[in-house]
Amino acid sequence: MNDNAPSQLPESVDVLVIGAGAAGLMCAATAASRGRRVLVLDHANKVGKKILMSGGGRCNFTNLYTAPENFYSRNPHFCKSALARYTQWDFIALVEKYGIPYHEKTLGQLFCDNKSKDIVDLLLAECRAARAQIRTKCQIESIAVEQGGYRLHTSLGPVTCESLVIATGGLSIPTMGATGFGYDIARQFGLKVVSTRAALVPFTLHKKQLQQQSELPGSALAVSASCGAGGFSEQMLFTHRGLSGPAVLQISSHWHEGEAVTFDLAPGKDLGQWLLTQCADKPDTHLHNALAELWSKKLVQFFLQRQRIDSRPLKQYGERALAEIGAQLQAWTLVPAGTEGYRTAEVTLGGVDTDQVSSRTMECKQQPGLYFIGEVLDVTGWLGGYNFQWAWASGHAAGEQA
Ligand code: FDA
């Protein structure tokens, strides 16, 4: 398998999977365990590159609370069937079968204790046990329909297959091998592609905004970020280019160019009421010193300047003014210049339109034997292990049928 495998491809296989990422490897192992002859082809020099770099090197491989509500798609019902038939508990059982140590970091997010490579090794072991073959450094040159299946021309030679599974992922991190290949194949077979954009991605800010926060890169605080219908309470991080951290990555999936994003800087608190209590307890304390109980001095100074609020002893404000200051700081609003784009985005929103794909098997309704799985489909998860759970679930669904 892999580098030790003979360089020539078999003449024909039952199932050919393009893309040796999370979804493709899960699909290959599942189909091969049914006795299907499976071949996985990938153009990269090694398999599972995104798994290896995920979760800061510790792969957030699933989420305890995975539910269809944690996914975006033009058809929010599409993900339900696959997620119900291969759940987070199924993948956790697999992780435990291999004795991979893991822990819950926060909000149900399960990470490897050691390294992401444990998950790649698990998938390769499953493929090996089921005798699925994998070849890397293989360019797909063309795909044509042939009686009873598909004929592919590749840089390693021709190969035919009965079922063809496209598992080539989204557009994020092109340096890791991401391409729009899956969308091109979808169009070749007459499927629609829902327009794509970078998601789970940091915001960039305008030059003036960046100058104002030049002292802050590296500073973080808990916020509740909202934009349109979306809202997330998590950490926000100031960076040299703008804003990042889980709250920002999450809300980026709801954001469109030109829209404002609002941050509640004291989530779960009535800040006006809190300031009134501080005023009753310590009337001579200056506003900036009172707020320094909540945020670092640098952050307090920044937010007061940005909102043009003078710092005076609390007793000088009066009830209404303190309530107003609280309200202002719980609705800090800005319009990002943009996002860092696919260069750093964790995922791609949009993709192959699910209308034309069976939600039970991932097979195209109009094109028998052609399957799309994982991120290439118009199904995108929240931050927190949901995207891998979708890759496992959709890969498994197709592997049971292809
Ligand atoms: P994936 O991208 O994994 O695999 C696609 C494969 O297809 C690749 O091996 C690629 O080389 C191959 N390919 C592409 N074009 C090809 C072509 N033309 N010919 C042949 N092969 C081709 N999610 C999560 O749940 N928890 C996490 O911790 C993280 N962390 C994270 C960090 C970073 C930095 C990124 C970029 C992403 C994450 N994600 C994540 C998201 C997660 O990595 C992603 O959703 C899944 O890897 C998608 O799995 P797929 O198998 O669909 O695509």
Side-chain angles (χ1 to χ4, degrees):
M1 195 163 62
N2 241 352
D3 290 343
N4 299 328
S7 58
Q8 233 188 333
L9 299 183
E11 247 173 55
S12 79
V13 291
D14 297 325
V15 181
L16 195 141
V17 181
I18 306 180
L25 293 174
M26 172 57 89
C27 177
T30 308
S33 70
R34 288 171 39 236
R36 301 285 276 164
R37 290 174 304 135
V38 178
L39 173 65
V40 187
L41 299 178
D42 200 298
H43 69 160
N45 58 351
K46 62 179 175 188
V47 306
K49 280 190 172 182
K50 276 201 190 153
I51 304 175
L52 291 172
M53 76 187 301
S54 69
R58 292 221 165 92
C59 187
N60 176 195
F61 56 80
T62 192
N63 193 295
L64 291 176
Y65 308 118
T66 305
E69 296 70 43
N70 305 119
F71 294 85
Y72 307 106
S73 171
R74 238 178 46 170
N75 175 2
H77 302 292
F78 179 81
C79 62
K80 288 181 180 172
S81 169
L83 289 174
R85 284 180 301 118
Y86 191 86
T87 68
Q88 56 272 43
W89 309 111
D90 292 314
F91 196 75
I92 293 166
L94 190 57
V95 167
E96 290 179 351
K97 174 177 141 190
Y98 282 86
I100 296 171
Y102 67 91
H103 61 278
E104 179 184 353
K105 195 168 168 192
T106 175
L107 303 169
Q109 301 167 5
L110 299 190
F111 283 76
C112 296
D113 286 357
N114 298 325
K115 51 195 178 334
S116 302
K117 188 168 174 296
D118 288 350
I119 300 295
V120 174
D121 290 346
L122 171 161
L123 294 165
L124 289 177
E126 287 287 294
C127 285
R128 200 177 301 120
R131 305 178 74 82
Q133 295 187 57
I134 303 172
R135 299 290 160 74
T136 52
K137 299 185 207 159
C138 178
Q139 308 295 327
I140 312 300
E141 288 156 2
S142 68
I143 299 176
V145 179
E146 200 179 72
Q147 189 130 44
Y150 298 86
R151 169 172 286 276
L152 280 77
H153 284 280
T154 81
S155 57
L156 298 180
V159 56
T160 60
C161 61
E162 224 174 87
S163 299
L164 177 63
V165 183
I166 309 297
T168 46
L171 292 168
S172 60
I173 326 265
T175 50
M176 284 290 132
T179 66
F181 179 85
Y183 311 134
D184 295 341
I185 299 305
R187 291 189 190 101
Q188 177 185 336
F189 288 98
L191 279 82
K192 282 193 226 129
V193 176
V194 175
S195 65
T196 56
R197 70 189 158 90
L200 299 183
V201 61
F203 285 138
T204 54
L205 295 180
H206 296 285
K207 205 170 160 193
K208 195 171 158 210
Q209 293 169 316
L210 280 180
Q211 279 163 355
Q212 287 168 339
Q213 64 174 60
S214 63
E215 300 292 309
L216 294 184
S219 296
L221 76 160
V223 300
S224 181
S226 55
C227 180
F232 293 91
S233 292
E234 284 220 46
Q235 291 283 308
M236 171 171 82
L237 174 72
F238 287 85
T239 70
H240 289 286
R241 293 193 203 92
L243 297 171
S244 188
V248 169
L249 299 184
Q250 295 276 33
I251 207 66
S252 72
S253 300
H254 287 260
W255 183 78
H256 294 88
E257 193 96 9
E259 283 179 354
V261 183
T262 299
F263 297 94
D264 176 347
L265 304 173
K269 251 193 169 60
D270 179 338
L271 197 55
Q273 191 55 48
W274 184 82
L275 284 171
L276 278 175
T277 311
Q278 298 297 305
C279 180
D281 291 350
K282 310 173 248 186
D284 293 316
T285 299
H286 273 68
L287 178 66
H288 68 274
N289 284 331
L291 290 171
E293 278 190 31
L294 303 179
W295 313 309
S296 71
K297 285 196 168 140
K298 268 198 291 197
L299 284 173
V300 172
Q301 194 186 5
F302 170 73
F303 289 128
L304 291 183
Q305 261 172 17
R306 273 296 301 266
Q307 302 297 86
R308 298 200 173 82
I309 300 169
D310 288 335
S311 181
R312 290 180 263 132
L314 294 173
K315 67 184 180 196
Q316 291 184 11
Y317 288 97
E319 206 171 304
R320 222 168 118 192
L322 286 178
E324 174 59 24
I325 289 169
Q328 265 182 279
L329 293 172
Q330 294 201 274
W332 182 58
T333 299
L334 58 82
V335 179
T339 72
E340 291 189 6
Y342 291 118
R343 192 177 61 79
T344 62
E346 281 201 13
V347 286
T348 303
L349 274 171
V352 176
D353 195 341
T354 58
D355 272 1
Q356 300 145 65
V357 178
S358 156
S359 63
R360 203 177 62 77
T361 64
M362 307 294 136
E363 187 176 13
C364 296
K365 291 174 186 166
Q366 315 294 342
Q367 187 62 50
L370 179 65
Y371 297 75
F372 288 87
I373 57 173
E375 201 183 314
V376 73
L377 281 166
D378 171 32
V379 176
T380 309
W382 290 8
L383 184 81
Y386 302 101
N387 285 295
F388 278 136
Q389 188 56 40
W390 172 246
W392 315 137
S394 58
H396 194 268
E400 282 196 315
Q401 171 80 17

